[in-house]
Amino acid sequence: MNPILHKIVETKYSEIEISRSKPLPDRTIPIRDWKSHLKTNSVSVIAECKKGSPSAGILRPDYDPVQIAKIYEESGAGAISVLTDRSYFFGSLQDLESVAKQVSLPVIRKDFILDPVQIDEAYAYGASAILLIVRILTPELLKSLLRHASGLGLAVLVETHNEHEVQVALDSGANTIGINTRDLDTFQIHKNLIEQIAPKLDSSIIRVAESGIESYDDWQKYRGLIDSMLVGTFFMKSKNISADFFSLLNGPPQNTK
């Protein structure tokens, strides 16, 4: 495991112990259907609210997740991802709850989930889905966490980085599989990974492309292979999210005379 990822996981276990002693609020936000928003006739966008990351630092100094989420919804996003890790990504559960209260789209808690208590937190703070990362879980724990989330009515995006991890995800019963082209060990982007893996997945699986998508051309070669794409850094660096959202889906505006 990459040293940074290893450190994140160690920190997360410490946070989990603290979380066990904290009471959770009663959920007041409805669970919004995941599949109908992502499995559509066109490629949907899971648009991400992310202030920063360990590799990039602060991406958006004027970060306002609610304002950003509203722009995403108005722009036609299928779902919204909210980073809730505080130590490395500068997020919080309060960000998750604030966004979930202000939009009518399914919101996914994106974090390094290792324990059922984190899923209980996601539920309590308004998530309709969670992220599980195969790389940091045993197959047995992955199955257990999937069952726990399903028991609460939450959808699960299972993130993979190679064919072996995809098989682990399928064996666990995952029905939404993210293919992350960013190698967690080297942080390099492997853009051909989706073309290698996605055609082997059954059409009943919601196939999500993750990382490295910053233009219309970036995802065009995936057309017909994916149902959705998760886009974060591109939007967080944008000076005009609405315009860049449109260009991402439709290509640069054409000059007309």
Side-chain angles (χ1 to χ4, degrees):
M1 188 183 295
N2 177 280
I4 294 175
L5 183 59
H6 182 75
K7 187 177 180 182
I8 291 172
V9 169
E10 282 190 335
T11 302
K12 202 57 57 177
Y13 276 121
S14 299
E15 292 174 357
I16 288 167
E17 291 307 312
I18 297 171
S19 295
R20 295 190 199 284
S21 62
K22 290 183 178 180
L24 293 173
D26 293 329
R27 183 180 179 119
T28 60
I29 301 164
I31 293 177
R32 299 184 171 96
D33 185 65
W34 177 255
K35 184 175 182 178
S36 65
H37 283 86
L38 298 189
K39 196 84 168 175
T40 63
N41 292 327
S42 59
V43 175
S44 61
V45 177
I46 304 172
E48 190 157 89
C49 297
K50 174 173 67 175
K51 184 175 183 176
S53 73
S55 59
I58 299 296
L59 292 166
R60 199 171 187 90
D62 58 342
Y63 181 69
D64 183 336
V66 171
Q67 181 187 46
I68 293 165
K70 286 182 175 180
I71 294 172
Y72 286 156
E73 184 170 33
E74 291 168 1
S75 298
I80 294 173
S81 167
V82 179
L83 260 295
T84 58
D85 174 78
R86 184 183 299 276
S87 299
Y88 300 93
F89 290 84
F90 318 103
S92 69
L93 285 166
Q94 286 68 38
D95 289 346
L96 173 69
E97 184 176 45
S98 297
V99 169
K101 282 181 176 179
Q102 295 296 322
V103 299
S104 58
L105 298 174
V107 178
I108 180 170
R109 180 187 187 183
K110 192 173 183 188
D111 209 316
F112 299 84
I113 293 179
L114 303 161
D115 190 276
V117 71
Q118 294 168 284
I119 301 175
D120 294 338
E121 288 174 336
Y123 177 84
Y125 284 87
S128 294
I130 62 164
L131 175 78
L132 294 177
I133 304 170
V134 173
R135 182 68 57 89
I136 63 174
L137 302 169
T138 65
E140 294 74 20
L141 183 54
L142 176 61
K143 288 180 184 178
S144 176
L145 295 176
L146 267 165
R147 285 196 299 268
H148 191 81
S150 296
L152 293 172
L154 302 181
V156 180
L157 168 59
V158 178
E159 181 174 295
T160 65
H161 299 83
N162 55 48
E163 291 193 40
H164 170 71
E165 290 182 2
V166 169
Q167 191 57 55
V168 171
L170 292 171
D171 291 343
S172 74
N175 55 29
T176 303
I177 293 181
I179 304 169
N180 193 333
T181 60
R182 186 182 301 281
D183 189 308
L184 285 182
D185 291 327
T186 65
F187 297 116
Q188 291 181 329
I189 296 291
H190 301 290
K191 291 193 174 184
N192 293 332
L193 192 64
I194 290 167
E195 293 165 291
Q196 293 170 8
I197 293 175
K200 300 176 183 178
L201 296 176
D202 187 88
S203 60
S204 63
I205 301 292
I206 301 173
R207 301 155 298 176
V208 182
E210 299 182 54
S211 296
I213 298 173
E214 298 185 339
S215 71
Y216 178 76
D217 290 338
D218 280 342
W219 68 271
Q220 275 298 288
K221 60 181 178 292
Y222 307 151
R223 187 182 285 276
L225 300 178
I226 61 171
D227 302 293
S228 187
M229 53 181 163
L230 194 154
V231 183
T233 300
F234 172 68
F235 291 141
M236 291 300 91
K237 290 181 175 179
S238 171
K239 294 181 180 179
N240 187 331
I241 293 176
S242 296
D244 285 338
F245 197 108
F246 181 88
S247 295
L248 180 72
L249 287 181
N250 302 284
Q254 300 296 314
N255 292 325
T256 57
K257 295 181 179 180

